[in-house]
Amino acid sequence: RKEVEQDPGPFNVPEGATVAFNCTYSNSASQSFFWYRQDCRKEPKLLMSVYSSGNEDGRFTAQLNRASQYISLLIRDSKLSDSATYLCVVNTGKLIFGQGTTLQVKP
Amino acid sequence: NAGVTQTPKFQVLKTGQSMTLQCAQDMNHEYMSWYRQDPGMGLRLIHYSVGAGITDQGEVPNGYNVSRSTTEDFPLRLLSAAPSQTSVYFCASTITGGSYGYTFGSGTRLTVV
């Protein structure tokens, strides 16, 4: 079983839609959690950290459920520019990446 | 600040050749790591370092060596290149502990023929 698992998608949504990505992790001792965004052939860039209380950054909301070892990312009012691969990342003392979920926002 | 700088950006090697991928950061980050990214596999950790003089293996260390003589530099050496090492390589750094996320270099695209 992979340490961090994501549905690879792709998720194809129209502009303005709300889309949610999920991620599960296997190491219950994981210390911190992140969502990264990666554009085609570019390096990953930190989108947001994920906290147990849930956190929001504009149209993006991240949630963490430690009991279920589950992380989510919600994107509201999708824009064409949100098209990218979203990587779920878990810090176990070193960063472990999920495979990524591809989002394609259509006009 | 330059952030994390990787060189070269592209490289083609013949099977059996050796080379060093360079990584440097100017943010005084203690923690540095190397990942490879292959289609459908996500990013996999090769080696990492928690500070100068300290290195450790990640998920896929075979065929690679690292050293960390300074805080700034963390080179990755391919000892005898194989076609299976064709990949995109990313170097990343962070403040010790990783609670703040990693900063990545722009990557090195390596092809072994």
Side-chain angles (χ1 to χ4, degrees):
Chain A
R1 182 187 171 190
K2 292 181 182 177
E3 288 195 66
V4 180
E5 297 206 53
Q6 292 181 254
D7 179 351
F11 284 59
N12 296 301
V13 303
E15 272 188 290
T18 296
V19 61
F21 305 139
N22 303 319
C23 167
T24 58
Y25 62 94
S26 60
N27 188 338
S28 60
S30 298
Q31 303 159 12
S32 50
F33 309 86
F34 308 93
W35 283 101
Y36 275 73
R37 170 189 171 133
Q38 186 174 27
D39 294 290
C40 187
R41 301 180 70 79
K42 299 282 190 180
E43 72 273 23
K45 293 187 177 178
L46 180 64
L47 179 65
M48 58 197 303
S49 300
V50 187
Y51 304 112
S52 297
S53 55
N55 49 298
E56 189 174 303
D57 183 0
R59 297 182 292 108
F60 298 83
T61 301
Q63 295 276 355
L64 166 65
N65 184 322
R66 283 189 181 270
S68 302
Q69 296 181 200
Y70 173 94
I71 304 162
S72 65
L73 176 68
L74 183 75
I75 305 175
R76 291 182 300 278
D77 189 22
S78 299
K79 312 291 185 191
L80 295 176
S81 58
D82 293 334
S83 298
T85 297
Y86 291 83
L87 303 167
C88 175
V89 184
V90 173
N91 180 14
T92 62
K94 49 198 175 190
L95 285 194
I96 305 297
F97 285 76
Q99 183 183 359
T101 298
T102 299
L103 172 65
Q104 186 66 42
V105 181
K106 305 287 189 181
Chain B
N1 287 343
V4 179
T5 302
Q6 286 186 241
T7 57
K9 292 190 183 301
F10 301 94
Q11 183 71 48
V12 178
L13 287 180
K14 293 182 179 179
T15 297
Q17 286 185 314
S18 62
M19 78 160 295
T20 299
L21 308 186
Q22 302 291 344
C23 176
Q25 53 88 13
D26 61 359
M27 300 172 283
N28 202 32
H29 284 171
E30 289 293 322
Y31 198 110
M32 297 185 73
S33 56
W34 277 101
Y35 291 85
R36 61 177 288 174
Q37 186 172 34
D38 303 295
M41 300 291 291
L43 281 90
R44 292 182 292 168
L45 182 64
I46 304 171
H47 286 284
Y48 64 101
S49 168
V50 299
I54 306 168
T55 64
D56 206 346
Q57 295 181 351
E59 180 185 358
V60 287
N62 292 342
Y64 308 94
N65 272 357
V66 292
S67 59
R68 186 91 180 273
S69 56
T70 67
T71 298
E72 294 78 19
D73 299 298
F74 190 43
L76 177 72
R77 297 182 186 84
L78 279 69
L79 309 173
S80 176
S84 61
Q85 294 179 304
T86 293
S87 189
V88 181
Y89 291 84
F90 289 104
C91 178
S93 73
T94 188
I95 298 169
T96 297
S99 297
Y100 302 97
Y102 278 22
T103 300
F104 280 80
S106 59
T108 296
R109 285 164 177 76
L110 175 69
T111 301
V112 182
V113 298

